[in-house]
Amino acid sequence: MEKYPVILGIESSCDETAAAVVKNGRQVLSNVISSQVPVHTIFGGVVPEIASRKHIEAIDGVIKKALADAGMTFDDIDAIAVTYGPGLVGALLVGLSEAKALAYALNKPLLGVHHLKGHIAANYITDPDWEPPFLCLVVSGGHTHIIMVDDYRHYHILGHTRDDAAGEAFDKVARAIGLGYPGGPKIQKAAENGNPDAIHFPRPCLDEEGYNFSFSGLKSAVLNYLNTEKMQGHTVSQADVAASFQAAVVEVLVTKTMQAAVDHHVKRVAVAGGVSANKALRQSLEAACKKHGFEFCRPEIILCTDNAAMIASAAYYEYDKGEQSELSLNADPNLTL
Ligand code: KG4
Ligand code: ZN
């Protein structure tokens, strides 16, 4: 009987401590995520030093649970995959040190994974038939990229944000209108009761060539609007601001992605990263893809935000080619694609 590779994935690049067991790159046997959101909420955002400490406290238990949920022991694991960048350096080091210790002690291959390649691989888990080449919009708290996925291991960036990432803009606007952290899901919820046409916020970069983004001007436009309304003694509708801001972000992301897809003659378009959990973005991308005749894939919600199943999946395609990382692998907070 053929033995399919089983990979233990570990992720600790930001504020989720996660471990997962994935068979054959696509079949998730367990997916454990320990979120630090309640801790960081008190401070209105992720505090790096606290994140590292919380990862240390959680990681052993999270890995044990991932193995137990999969009904496996370390003996059943063929390789250890771990995010080694980009992300918060102290946070990355916790997962990476754990993975290196396990790989050494168990004498199993170590596979360092780029966090964004992990996000993209979430699509392989959600749709077992999804395969490259495709164009992927990667939208997270730290990144906003349009990436051409040439094959499982080769990517090139067509466009990226020049300043804030889309998720960062969601988080900053949420804080400004008093919704708190994490901003994305809270803006989405508030927007459900708001009018997306109530306030016309700018659509940065839309009348510009190329596939780059810029979200800091949009964030400033929201802050200016809030200040002006306050000075004039008007009450601001949180729901209308949320809905109008979300509509502006979604329009820019979708328009640029479609432009890149048309220009590069692709047949398939995917989305990934924490912001890809956004309902308005998913719906708008799906409708635009349908209009242009592109196949569309988006990860299931639990695989949009940080998790380790996506890391194990991305590592599978390296493992499959006989690749492995040195035990001297270091964390790289600014790792490029
Ligand atoms: O991918 P992720 O979990 O972590 C990073 O790699 O950065 O993304 C987190 C980001 C946060 O900025 C969060 O506000 C945003 O994803 N996010 C959302 C939604 N859920 C999470 N943004 C918009 N709508 C959502 N439903
Ligand atoms: Zn992420």
Side-chain angles (χ1 to χ4, degrees):
M1 202 174 74
E2 197 177 349
K3 159 103 173 68
Y4 294 114
V6 175
I7 298 183
L8 170 68
I10 298 174
E11 155 66 40
S12 70
S13 65
C14 189
D15 59 346
E16 326 278 0
T17 320
V21 178
V22 177
K23 189 174 165 183
N24 215 19
R26 303 221 181 204
Q27 195 187 340
V28 179
L29 304 182
S30 66
N31 188 22
V32 180
I33 303 166
S34 168
S35 174
Q36 301 177 3
V37 163
V39 187
H40 298 292
T41 299
I42 309 164
F43 302 96
V46 179
V47 183
E49 180 60 28
I50 296 177
S52 312
R53 283 164 188 258
K54 291 286 162 196
H55 284 310
I56 292 171
E57 286 168 22
I59 198 150
D60 282 338
V62 165
I63 291 172
K64 275 191 190 132
K65 183 156 170 30
L67 287 172
D69 287 0
M72 290 189 164
T73 68
F74 282 124
D75 289 344
D76 303 307
I77 301 297
D78 294 298
I80 319 281
V82 63
T83 307
Y84 73 108
L88 302 170
V89 70
L92 287 165
L93 279 170
V94 178
L96 181 60
S97 307
E98 181 89 8
K100 288 192 328 190
L102 285 174
Y104 179 70
L106 301 167
N107 195 24
K108 312 231 173 195
L110 173 76
L111 295 151
V113 176
H114 190 292
H115 184 72
L116 295 190
K117 292 186 184 176
H119 273 303
I120 294 169
N123 285 289
Y124 304 142
I125 298 172
T126 300
D127 179 350
D129 298 323
W130 190 260
E131 46 185 36
F134 61 93
L135 186 128
C136 192
L137 169 69
V138 182
V139 266
S140 71
H143 295 86
T144 303
H145 282 4
I146 295 180
I147 296 175
M148 185 64 84
V149 182
D150 300 309
D151 60 46
Y152 285 110
R153 301 170 61 230
H154 297 99
Y155 309 74
H156 64 275
I157 298 172
L158 300 179
H160 58 84
T161 181
R162 294 200 195 97
D163 38 58
D164 291 354
E168 198 178 346
F170 268 97
D171 294 335
K172 286 177 177 169
V173 166
R175 199 177 310 152
I177 59 175
L179 288 172
Y181 171 85
K186 292 190 171 169
I187 295 242
Q188 173 175 311
K189 190 153 195 310
E192 281 166 15
N193 302 314
N195 173 6
D197 301 317
I199 312 144
H200 187 80
F201 290 127
R203 268 66 173 157
C205 300
L206 268 202
D207 46 9
E208 205 179 272
E209 292 274 311
Y211 317 111
N212 286 336
F213 301 101
S214 163
F215 290 107
S216 80
L218 174 57
K219 172 201 67 193
S220 304
V222 175
L223 296 180
N224 287 342
Y225 170 82
L226 294 173
N227 285 337
T228 311
E229 292 300 296
K230 198 172 155 195
M231 274 182 338
Q232 292 176 349
H234 299 155
T235 10
V236 169
S237 159
Q238 225 180 27
D240 283 348
V241 176
S244 302
F245 162 76
Q246 182 177 268
V249 175
V250 168
E251 187 181 331
V252 174
L253 291 174
V254 173
T255 308
K256 287 277 173 188
T257 305
M258 288 304 113
Q259 193 58 55
V262 169
D263 293 350
H264 290 80
H265 311 289
V266 301
K267 294 194 176 67
R268 287 188 287 270
V269 174
V271 64
V275 183
S276 69
N278 186 271
K279 209 168 147 188
L281 177 62
R282 292 162 84 90
Q283 285 173 347
S284 181
L285 269 175
E286 185 163 14
C289 282
K290 203 168 167 193
K291 194 174 140 208
H292 286 89
F294 303 137
E295 274 180 66
F296 175 60
C297 190
R298 75 281 176 283
E300 59 179 293
I301 300 287
I302 190 69
L303 297 174
C304 289
T305 43
D306 290 348
N307 66 87
M310 67 185 197
I311 302 302
S313 176
Y316 167 80
Y317 297 97
E318 300 297 325
Y319 179 83
D320 193 44
K321 289 276 178 273
E323 297 290 334
Q324 75 179 73
S325 305
E326 300 286 330
L327 283 178
S328 56
L329 184 69
N330 202 356
D332 184 347
N334 302 311
L335 186 65
T336 51
L337 201 66

